[in-house]
Amino acid sequence: MRNYETVFILNPVLSEDQAKDTVDKFVKVLKKANADVLNIENWGLKKMAYPINKKSTGFYNLIEFTADAPVIDTLETEYRRDESIMRFLTTVLDKHAIVYNERRRKGEFKNKKQAVKKAEEERVK
C-alpha cells in the first residue's frame, strides 16, 4: 500500500451541504475499496488561476489516504462521472511528503510564532 493525496475542485454553484455530501461520497468510495483515509481538508471557496467552464472560483478539497494502485483508477473514474468535479489531481507521496503531511496535520505550519515558541521550549528542555 502506498500513500496518496488527491485534490479536487468542486463547482462553486453547490451549497456547502452539497459540497460536503460530495466529499463524503468520495471518502465512501475509498473506504469501500479498502483504502485508509488519513486526512480530509476543506480549503473552501478559492479563486482559480484561470476560468474552468466559465467559472473563476471553486471549492477546493484534499483527501490523503493509503491504498493499493487499482483504487486510484476507481476513484478517478468516479471523479469523471461526477458533474460537480471541475478538476482533480491524485499524486503518490514520497517519504519527504509523508513526513511533511504528518507535521502539517499536527499544526506545525499554521502559526509561525507558535512553532518558533514550541521549538524554543523544546530546546530549553
Side-chain angles (χ1 to χ4, degrees), residues 7-121:
V7 177
F8 54 95
I9 306 172
L10 295 171
N11 195 325
V13 176
L14 300 175
S15 69
E16 291 283 337
D17 292 335
Q18 289 172 324
K20 186 179 181 317
D21 291 342
T22 304
V23 173
D24 291 341
K25 177 179 116 176
F26 293 118
V27 169
K28 287 178 187 175
V29 167
L30 288 169
K31 288 185 178 179
K32 185 177 178 184
N34 296 327
D36 183 27
V37 177
L38 303 174
N39 188 26
I40 302 169
E41 291 182 19
N42 177 6
W43 294 344
L45 187 66
K46 301 224 179 249
K47 187 172 180 357
M48 295 185 286
Y50 57 90
I52 301 172
N53 298 334
K54 298 182 182 177
K55 297 188 173 46
S56 60
T57 60
F59 288 106
Y60 282 69
N61 293 279
L62 173 130
I63 302 175
E64 185 182 347
F65 59 97
T66 59
D68 294 322
V71 173
I72 304 306
D73 292 334
T74 305
L75 178 65
E76 290 187 352
T77 299
E78 290 298 320
Y79 283 153
R80 288 183 184 95
R81 287 181 179 163
D82 195 326
E83 293 179 359
S84 62
I85 299 291
M86 296 169 57
R87 288 284 191 275
F88 64 89
L89 179 66
T90 303
T91 57
V92 179
L93 300 178
D94 64 359
K95 64 182 180 181
H96 304 290
I98 293 169
V99 171
Y100 175 83
N101 282 349
E102 287 173 1
R103 290 178 62 197
R104 190 182 76 219
R105 279 190 302 246
K106 291 177 184 175
E108 289 186 33
F109 305 117
K110 285 187 178 178
N111 189 343
K112 253 187 172 177
K113 289 181 183 179
Q114 285 180 338
V116 169
K117 185 176 179 182
K118 187 176 181 179
E120 288 176 6
E121 289 174 0

